[in-house]
Amino acid sequence: MSDPVIVGTDGSAAASAAVEWAADDAARMRAPLRIVFALNFLPYDIPKFSTPEWEDPLTRNAERVLAEAEALVRERRPEIEVTTQTIEGAPPVVLRDQAVGATEIVVGSRGLGGFAAAVLGSVSMHVAGHARGPVVVVRSGPRAVHGEIVVGIDDSPQCDPALAYAFEQAALRGATLRALYVWQAPVHAYAPEIVYDMDEIRRAQHQVAADKLTSWRQTYPQVKVIEDVRSGHPVEVLTAASKEADLVVVGSHGRGALGSLALGSVSRGVLHHARGNVAVVRSPRL
Ligand SMILES: Nc1ncnc2c1ncn2[C@@H]1O[C@H](COP(=O)(O)OP(=O)(O)OP(=O)(O)O)[C@@H](O)[C@H]1O
Ligand SMILES: [Mg+2]
């Protein structure tokens, strides 16, 4: 049996969308599903409230939220094995730690807290920035099925885990995989006299994308791949592509990998601006 798909819920609408997405994916992967509620007593742990009975409503709420999520899954995907778990601790830490031994972690883009204009909650941001393996951030709202998975690639080895995940997702869904390699034309403000052979650069960039994909295409011959090489800003191009995609997959870092940053600027930008669901896949070394 495969490792479980883990989904975090706080009972919000976005979390329910995450639960539904996770149930569908667990069914596709033939993996069990575990629904987790992180119960944080800490914010309420001040002397005024520290009577023995105060924690009961919080525990009761967690149990109610989990029971509702479980019922949703049983109705939607009766064939999968589903369990629920309340874990005490700060939600970002609890969910991040769950990634060990999980197939993937699924969270909603928003939760119950946050301010109205925020596109991403702090829990989803932290989990996407720190958990090992794939983290899928699900947006609520109606979604058409496009039959296309988009993966953002660059010429760094950091995007290999994202490619592996994207090929697997495309294969499981029978979807087309659009591999987007976005390159930015060199800009030298202080040396405008340097001239570039743009055709040569373009040819080289196409070669980079083709080389990246060769071995994956052999592993997944059934997946139809579109090699899409563009010049522009990666966040802008990936965001535009997200409108027609069922999932956008990015690595956690790219060529500019700075170990100290939780997420590279492209992954962060895509998480904030993409229209649909985004998977961030961290290399085991980062
Ligand atoms: N207590 C929790 N237990 C389990 N999962 C949670 C919990 N809180 C949040 N999540 C998960 O994280 C997702 C995003 O929620 P998050 O808390 O990041 O957003 P928010 O509540 O809008 O903002 P913030 O909490 O930063 O003010 C939720 O949809 C859910 O999947
Ligand atoms: Mg929250």
Side-chain angles (χ1 to χ4, degrees):
M1 177 66 90
S2 355
D3 289 330
V5 171
I6 310 274
V7 58
T9 182
D10 59 356
S12 61
S16 296
V19 169
E20 290 180 355
W21 193 96
D24 291 349
D25 214 42
R28 273 189 292 266
M29 294 190 177
R30 299 178 191 283
L33 176 67
R34 193 190 312 151
I35 313 171
V36 170
F37 188 109
L39 185 50
N40 200 1
F41 289 113
L42 221 56
Y44 311 96
D45 197 12
I46 46 176
K48 199 168 106 191
F49 293 121
S50 62
T51 54
E53 64 273 17
W54 70 267
E55 68 189 40
D56 278 341
L58 294 182
T59 309
R60 262 206 314 277
N61 175 59
E63 282 163 1
R64 181 186 55 78
V65 166
L66 286 174
E68 279 171 17
E70 185 180 345
L72 186 70
V73 172
R74 288 204 189 282
E75 194 184 323
R76 189 180 177 91
R77 293 286 177 183
E79 72 274 26
I80 65 175
E81 184 194 320
V82 52
T83 52
T84 62
Q85 195 177 2
T86 302
I87 304 174
E88 220 176 290
V93 178
V94 166
L95 292 174
R96 187 194 68 197
D97 291 351
Q98 287 290 303
V100 180
T103 295
E104 63 189 1
I105 301 280
V106 186
V107 288
S109 57
R110 297 282 310 272
L112 283 179
F115 58 100
V119 281
L120 216 60
S122 60
V123 174
S124 23
M125 195 64 208
H126 183 93
V127 177
H130 294 91
R132 301 275 150 202
V135 175
V136 183
V137 177
V138 177
R139 289 199 155 74
S140 57
R143 298 209 60 77
V145 177
H146 298 284
E148 184 171 296
I149 303 291
V150 167
V151 61
I153 56 173
D154 66 3
D155 60 351
S156 75
Q158 277 81 358
C159 72
D160 290 348
L163 265 174
Y165 183 79
F167 266 93
E168 182 65 18
Q169 280 287 328
L172 286 168
R173 296 159 183 256
T176 299
L177 180 63
R178 180 180 296 275
L180 257 178
Y181 178 52
V182 190
W183 59 280
Q184 288 177 278
V187 182
H188 283 292
Y190 300 109
E193 67 279 10
I194 299 177
V195 285
Y196 297 96
D197 178 348
M198 288 311 276
D199 283 340
E200 183 51 38
I201 292 179
R202 219 167 267 131
R203 258 194 308 278
Q205 304 297 353
H206 274 275
Q207 198 51 50
V208 169
D211 291 349
K212 263 276 161 212
L213 294 167
T214 308
S215 70
W216 292 109
R217 295 183 100 144
Q218 284 160 0
T219 314
Y220 291 92
Q222 75 276 34
V223 173
K224 183 175 169 238
V225 181
I226 301 172
E227 274 178 39
D228 199 346
V229 181
R230 311 262 192 100
S231 82
H233 194 284
V235 174
E236 212 171 300
V237 177
L238 284 162
T239 300
S242 73
K243 290 177 200 154
E244 315 256 292
D246 297 327
L247 184 68
V248 175
V249 185
V250 288
S252 61
H253 293 79
R255 175 51 76 198
L258 285 174
S260 59
L261 290 178
L263 281 179
S265 68
V266 171
S267 334
R268 203 158 5 101
V270 170
L271 270 175
H272 276 100
H273 299 292
R275 293 294 175 84
N277 306 328
V278 176
V280 176
V281 189
R282 174 160 283 91
S283 144
R285 291 184 305 283
L286 286 171

